[in-house]
Amino acid sequence: MIASGEAGPGQRLPTERDLAARLGVSRGSMREAIRSLTTLGVLEARHGAGVYVTALRPSDLLETFSVLAEVSRDDTLLEVLQVRRMIEPAATALAAARASDADLRRIGELLDRIDGDPVSAADTVSADLGFHQAIVASTGNATLAAVNEGLSSRTFNARVWAGHREAGFTGELREDHRRIHEALLARDPDAARAAATVHVMRVERWLAAELAGRGRASGD
């Protein structure tokens, strides 16, 4: 019904009993289907008002995808970074062409927080995540922004900064961000793509080296 457009965004569904009768299934099966679609962000149960179709925004439908990077471990995280290397440079290039002046100001403010003296390491992590999310959001592509958010992890980002801080390499991370920002300000998609590629590859190589070192330490 939703896929065909019969039940559109914001519309209230028939009762569970009516749906079960119409589709020829038990009420228990219908209840489970509604629960599953609610978890997936397709439906929304409103207390005392019934079940409604959500706005069906990409952020609604991809909300469960957002845990991918957060709960992934080691080798899977490396795969996530490889996917980011495919998507993020292209998104950054698109942002260089599409970002508004207001978008660029917001991205610049987040860069200042990354470059400044943070109150805590958590502030740097938060600003870094916000920086990349603001860039992708400035493309105007809500689906791309939702996918990008699913490939981002606050926990992993904190781990990246901690690892680079321990090795004395946070300057390289900050320089990556400055180069991305400069390319955006110059409205240069090719430079933006290149700067974003270098940044993601730096993190990817850091994680690969960390995993290799852990394997040698354990004798694997």
Side-chain angles (χ1 to χ4, degrees), residues 35-60:
R35 185 179 299 117
S36 297
L37 289 175
T38 300
T39 300
L40 291 172
V42 177
L43 299 178
E44 174 190 9
R46 301 180 186 174
H47 184 68
V51 177
Y52 289 75
V53 181
T54 67
L56 300 179
R57 295 180 297 257
S59 56
D60 296 327

Side-chain angles (χ1 to χ4, degrees), residues 33-204:
I34 290 173
R35 185 179 299 117
S36 297
L37 289 175
T38 300
T39 300
L40 291 172
V42 177
L43 299 178
E44 174 190 9
R46 301 180 186 174
H47 184 68
V51 177
Y52 289 75
V53 181
T54 67
L56 300 179
R57 295 180 297 257
S59 56
D60 296 327
L61 303 177
L62 290 170
E63 185 174 1
T64 54
F65 175 63
S66 66
V67 302
L68 173 64
E70 198 63 51
V71 301
S72 294
R73 307 283 295 180
D74 298 343
D75 288 343
T76 303
L77 266 177
L78 199 55
E79 292 178 355
V80 168
L81 284 171
Q82 290 166 354
V83 174
R84 277 185 57 186
R85 183 151 50 92
M86 299 174 198
I87 293 176
E88 200 164 310
T92 307
L94 188 59
R98 292 186 177 180
S100 67
D101 290 342
D103 290 330
L104 293 177
R105 283 194 297 272
R106 172 61 178 157
I107 293 166
E109 289 167 359
L110 289 161
L111 178 64
D112 289 342
R113 284 176 55 195
I114 296 171
D115 281 343
D117 295 323
V119 176
S120 66
D123 189 54
T124 300
V125 170
S126 177
D128 186 6
L129 283 173
F131 177 82
H132 292 289
Q133 289 170 358
I135 289 172
V136 180
S138 73
T139 66
N141 188 317
T143 301
L144 182 59
V147 169
N148 176 73
E149 189 168 347
L151 296 172
S152 304
S153 161
R154 183 174 299 274
T155 301
F156 177 65
N157 214 36
R159 181 175 159 193
V160 169
W161 278 96
H164 281 70
R165 189 176 299 109
E166 183 178 342
F169 293 146
T170 56
E172 283 81 351
L173 289 179
R174 289 186 165 88
E175 183 60 27
D176 286 350
H177 290 90
R178 284 193 288 270
R179 286 175 179 161
I180 291 171
H181 185 235
E182 287 169 1
L184 294 174
L185 290 177
R187 302 288 186 181
D188 188 334
D190 290 336
R193 184 191 305 273
T197 299
V198 168
H199 179 56
V200 179
M201 285 185 66
R202 185 186 307 282
V203 177
E204 185 182 331

Side-chain angles (χ1 to χ4, degrees), residues 12-31:
R12 185 179 184 276
L13 291 183
T15 65
E16 182 183 288
R17 175 181 297 176
D18 289 344
L19 281 172
R22 172 175 173 173
L23 299 176
V25 298
S26 70
R27 290 186 64 179
S29 295
M30 181 53 59
R31 190 175 300 116

Side-chain angles (χ1 to χ4, degrees), residues 203-218:
V203 177
E204 185 182 331
R205 287 171 178 167
W206 169 81
L207 178 60
E210 183 186 75
L211 296 180
R214 191 182 304 169
R216 287 193 296 270
S218 64

